[in-house]
């Protein structure tokens, strides 16, 4: 490992895929808990000989081989691990000290250490105790597309009457020579992979994707009992809601209902692209709603949410992710959660090609609500579009800097950390202005920056200084 790469690990600190640990001649139990959690999540780098704060303490040079052997012997011990996780070693010499890097590659399988299942959450190793937590882990690890589950006794008559013809019409309107235009209903279902045959078992029939996309409500309830999307609008009654729509219809109908709910409660600001006015609200809402309906784990008991309030627009839904963290264009590799459902939405014009949603949100979210979009992947996929109206920005433009400064400091003290967009929303200023104040506060030692430019967060460290400011 290059020195610069290693120093970058030290600077970034511990995360979902990075852990620092002190170590003597024999690794402690917490080392093996981390190896187990890495193996159950998405792999990671364990650095032995470094403190939690990222200071290189080092390992005795004559003990490196002994430590490596101990790690191999323990991970291969069936009394400790139900199956050995894959590990690789790298010795790193840094500032006259030795560090041992233990790399755990991502792999299938659910690992147990001393009978316990460990998972990685942020920079912590946690024990999964409930059946639902462990079931979710199995779903994530084995990359099973649950949309492909076949129901041999599900019939075309169980689908909503007329909906196949309606979808055929949408596909042809989008592309006049679309092959669905000349297909029968049965041929269309097979073409869209909504009717499949399992080549291993021979079982064939309509799939869970067919039930979700086109089924009657009672069929969906049978296939996915916990499926629903809870749309909530809060303006006056912030403790509960001012309007609500609990959507349990098939995905084609759900798309229309959720888009209509957003159009009812969100502004549509004037915006020109070239010489033509376009609706940034419709573009953004279309992406948010289609992503919420497509990229989710429908077998999870966690209901999806769409929330509109003074903070902006936010969605949450269960996911089955190999990656955890914020998504940005620079490091985004699109991975479909339900490729059959995603393709069907594309054919009828409800979605574009995979990955276009993030690009459209990056482009249009600011002229829509004023803030930068925040997308976080994990067991729960979250999309957040902070609200920051031009009126709020202009109303605050004449205020003295100390007011904005104190607002940001109070927000940081309350929440512990913030990104530039979050601080901007709290102070009702632009993200650029918030970034300027955050940099100044960091230079004064009141807050601590962490992360690269696009993903940087600031952490609160200045309780005593806040009193002086006030």
């Amino acid at each position: 490992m290059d020195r610069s790469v290693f120093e970058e690990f030290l600077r970034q600190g511990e995360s979902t895929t990075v852990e620092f640990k002190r170590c003597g001649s024999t690794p402690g139990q917490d080392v093996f808990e981390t190896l187990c959690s890495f193996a159950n999540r998405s792999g990671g780098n364990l650095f032995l000989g470094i403190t939690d704060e990222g200071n290189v303490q080092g390992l005795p040079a004559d003990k490196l081989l002994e430590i490596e052997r101990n790690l191999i012997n323990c991970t291969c011990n069936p009394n400790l691990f139900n199956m050995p996780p894959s590990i690789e070693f790298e010795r790193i010499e840094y500032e006259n000290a030795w560090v041992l890097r233990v790399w755990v590659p991502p792999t299938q399988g659910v690992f147990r250490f001393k009978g316990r299942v460990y998972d990685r959450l942020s920079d912590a190793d946690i024990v999964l105790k409930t059946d639902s937590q462990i079931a979710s882990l199995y779903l994530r690890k084995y990359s099973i597309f649950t949309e492909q589950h076949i129901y041999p006794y599900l019939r075309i008559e169980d689908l909503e009457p007329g909906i196949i013809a309606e979808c055929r019409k949408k596909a042809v309107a989008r592309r006049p020579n679309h092959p669905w235009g000349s297909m029968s209903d049965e041929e269309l279902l097979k073409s869209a992979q909504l009717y499949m045959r399992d080549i291993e078992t021979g079982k064939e029939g309509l799939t869970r994707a067919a039930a979700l996309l086109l089924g009657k409500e009672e069929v969906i309830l049978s296939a996915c009992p916990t499926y629903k999307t809870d749309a909530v609008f809060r303006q006056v009654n912030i403790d509960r809601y001012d309007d609500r729509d609990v959507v349990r219809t098939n995905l084609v109908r759900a798309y229309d209902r959720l888009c209509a709910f957003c159009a009812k409660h969100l502004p549509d600001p004037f915006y020109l692209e070239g010489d033509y006015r376009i609706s940034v609200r419709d573009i953004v809402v279309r992406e948010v709603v289609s992503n919420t309906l497509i990229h989710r784990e429908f077998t999870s008991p966690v209901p999806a949410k769409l929330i509109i309030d003074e903070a902006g627009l936010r969605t949450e839904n269960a996911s089955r992710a190999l990656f955890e963290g914020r998504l940005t264009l620079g490091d985004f590799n699109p991975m479909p959660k339900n490729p059959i459902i995603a393709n069907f939405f594309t054919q009828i014009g409800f979605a574009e090609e995979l990955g276009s949603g993030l690009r459209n949100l990056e482009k249009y979210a600011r002229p829509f609500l004023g803030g930068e979009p925040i997308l976080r992947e994990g067991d729960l996929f979250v999309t957040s579009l902070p609200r920051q109206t031009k009126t709020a920005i202009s109303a605050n433009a004449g205020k003295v800097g100390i007011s904005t400064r104190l607002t940001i400091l109070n927000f940081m003290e309350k929440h512990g950390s913030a990104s530039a967009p979050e601080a901007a929303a709290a102070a009702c200023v632009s993200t650029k202005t918030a970034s300027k104040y955050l940099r100044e506060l960091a230079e004064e030692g009141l807050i601590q920056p962490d992360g690269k430019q696009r993903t940087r967060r600031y952490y609160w460290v200045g309780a005593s200084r806040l009193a002086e400011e006030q």
Side-chain angles (χ1 to χ4, degrees):
M1 178 179 292
D2 292 340
R3 181 186 179 92
S4 60
V5 175
F6 178 65
E7 289 178 341
E8 182 67 15
F9 274 113
L10 295 177
R11 192 183 71 81
Q12 294 282 359
E14 295 180 328
S15 66
T16 307
T17 57
V18 176
E19 176 73 14
F20 301 145
K21 290 198 182 294
R22 296 182 175 90
C23 185
S25 58
T26 302
Q29 174 167 309
D30 58 343
V31 168
F32 299 103
E33 292 172 355
T34 297
L35 294 179
C36 184
S37 69
F38 278 168
N40 280 333
R41 176 55 64 167
S42 51
N45 291 283
L46 169 62
F47 293 92
L48 300 180
I50 303 178
T51 67
D52 291 342
E53 295 75 26
N55 300 317
V56 177
Q57 189 179 62
L59 301 171
D62 59 346
K63 296 294 184 181
L64 291 173
L65 181 59
E66 181 180 337
I67 294 172
E68 291 173 358
R69 286 175 174 170
N70 185 284
L71 290 169
I72 292 173
N73 289 336
C74 289
T75 54
C76 292
N77 184 344
N79 293 321
L80 297 178
F81 282 86
N82 62 321
M83 54 184 172
S86 299
I87 56 175
E88 297 182 12
F89 302 115
E90 181 184 5
R91 299 179 184 182
I92 302 171
E93 188 176 9
Y94 182 78
E95 303 292 352
N96 299 317
W98 284 98
V99 172
L100 183 62
R101 170 181 172 249
V102 186
W103 180 57
V104 182
T107 183
Q108 287 190 339
V110 173
F111 297 83
R112 297 174 185 266
F113 173 64
K114 291 187 174 180
R116 289 184 163 188
V117 178
Y118 288 85
D119 198 5
R120 188 76 174 172
L121 181 63
S122 187
D123 60 351
D125 304 315
I126 61 171
V127 179
L128 301 186
K129 298 180 179 179
T130 67
D131 291 340
S132 61
Q133 288 177 320
I134 296 175
S136 296
L137 175 60
Y138 273 99
L139 284 172
R140 185 179 75 235
K141 292 292 292 181
Y142 285 98
S143 300
I144 298 171
F145 294 121
T146 54
E147 63 172 355
Q148 297 180 5
H149 181 83
I150 294 172
Y151 295 99
Y153 300 109
L154 182 62
R155 303 166 299 172
I156 292 183
E157 292 77 14
D158 296 318
L159 307 181
E160 182 183 318
I163 196 168
I164 298 178
E166 184 178 326
C167 290
R168 181 189 292 108
K169 186 177 180 179
K170 290 180 183 294
V172 172
R174 184 170 181 268
R175 200 174 88 198
N177 61 344
H178 199 288
W180 287 4
S182 59
M183 290 182 182
S184 66
D185 288 355
E186 292 81 1
E187 291 171 336
L188 188 153
L189 292 170
K190 290 181 179 180
S191 173
Q193 293 184 288
L194 301 181
Y195 186 101
M196 299 178 66
R197 180 173 65 88
D198 190 321
I199 60 174
E200 184 175 355
T201 65
K203 184 169 65 172
E204 63 180 287
L206 292 170
T207 62
R208 179 179 279 123
L212 287 165
L213 281 163
L214 309 171
K216 301 174 183 176
E217 286 195 39
E218 60 268 25
V219 172
I220 297 173
L221 180 62
S222 177
C224 295
T226 59
Y227 158 75
K228 73 173 180 178
T229 304
D230 194 0
V232 173
F233 171 66
R234 297 189 181 103
Q235 185 177 40
V236 178
N237 192 345
I238 59 175
D239 292 327
R240 296 194 67 196
Y241 54 83
D242 298 291
D243 192 13
R244 184 183 187 187
D245 188 7
V246 180
V247 181
R248 290 190 172 91
T249 58
N250 60 58
L251 298 182
V252 172
R253 299 292 177 231
Y255 175 88
D256 291 332
R257 278 178 58 174
L258 293 172
C259 286
F261 187 87
C262 291
K264 180 180 178 182
H265 297 297
L266 288 169
D268 193 9
F270 182 82
Y271 183 81
L272 287 176
E273 193 163 76
D275 296 329
Y276 298 93
R277 181 186 178 184
I278 63 172
S279 174
V280 289
R281 181 192 64 192
D282 290 351
I283 293 174
V284 170
V285 165
R286 176 176 181 267
E287 299 295 352
V288 170
V289 169
S290 62
N291 281 340
T292 301
L293 295 177
I294 293 172
H295 303 297
R296 67 201 278 186
E297 179 47 57
F298 290 98
T299 61
S300 170
V302 179
K305 297 179 182 178
L306 186 150
I307 301 168
I308 302 171
D309 56 20
E310 61 180 8
L313 170 63
R314 184 173 72 258
T315 64
E316 302 174 1
N317 57 265
S319 180
R320 186 180 66 253
L322 295 177
F323 164 81
E324 181 172 330
R326 182 170 177 178
L327 298 178
T328 62
L329 280 176
D331 58 11
F332 177 54
N333 293 312
M335 182 181 299
K337 308 296 191 310
N338 299 292
I340 293 175
I341 293 175
N343 177 66
F344 194 90
F345 263 42
T346 300
Q347 299 303 322
I348 62 176
F350 285 2
E352 301 297 334
E353 73 275 6
L354 193 63
S356 67
L358 181 55
R359 291 193 293 273
N360 283 336
L361 289 180
E362 291 273 4
K363 182 177 180 180
Y364 296 111
R366 183 178 290 278
F368 175 42
L369 291 180
E372 296 178 1
I374 301 171
L375 285 78
R376 292 193 176 277
E377 179 68 283
D379 291 339
L380 194 68
F381 185 87
V382 179
T383 300
S384 178
L385 278 68
R387 184 196 299 270
Q388 185 183 341
T389 64
K390 293 182 180 179
T391 302
I393 294 174
S394 60
N396 282 273
K399 293 185 179 180
V400 293
I402 189 66
S403 176
T404 300
R405 177 187 175 93
L406 285 174
T407 300
I408 292 176
L409 280 169
N410 278 292
F411 181 87
M412 295 286 294
E413 182 186 36
K414 179 179 179 181
H415 297 277
S417 69
S419 64
E422 291 168 347
C428 289
V429 295
S430 69
T431 302
K432 184 177 180 180
T433 299
S435 297
K436 178 177 76 72
Y437 281 107
L438 288 169
R439 287 194 299 269
E440 292 175 356
L441 294 169
E443 290 172 359
E444 296 173 24
L446 291 168
I447 59 178
Q448 180 67 43
D450 182 65
K452 297 180 181 179
Q453 185 70 27
R454 291 177 62 86
T455 59
R456 183 166 297 164
R457 291 190 71 80
Y458 294 83
Y459 292 85
W460 171 252
V461 294
S464 61
R465 296 288 298 276
L466 179 60
E468 298 175 8
E469 289 276 344
Q470 294 175 320

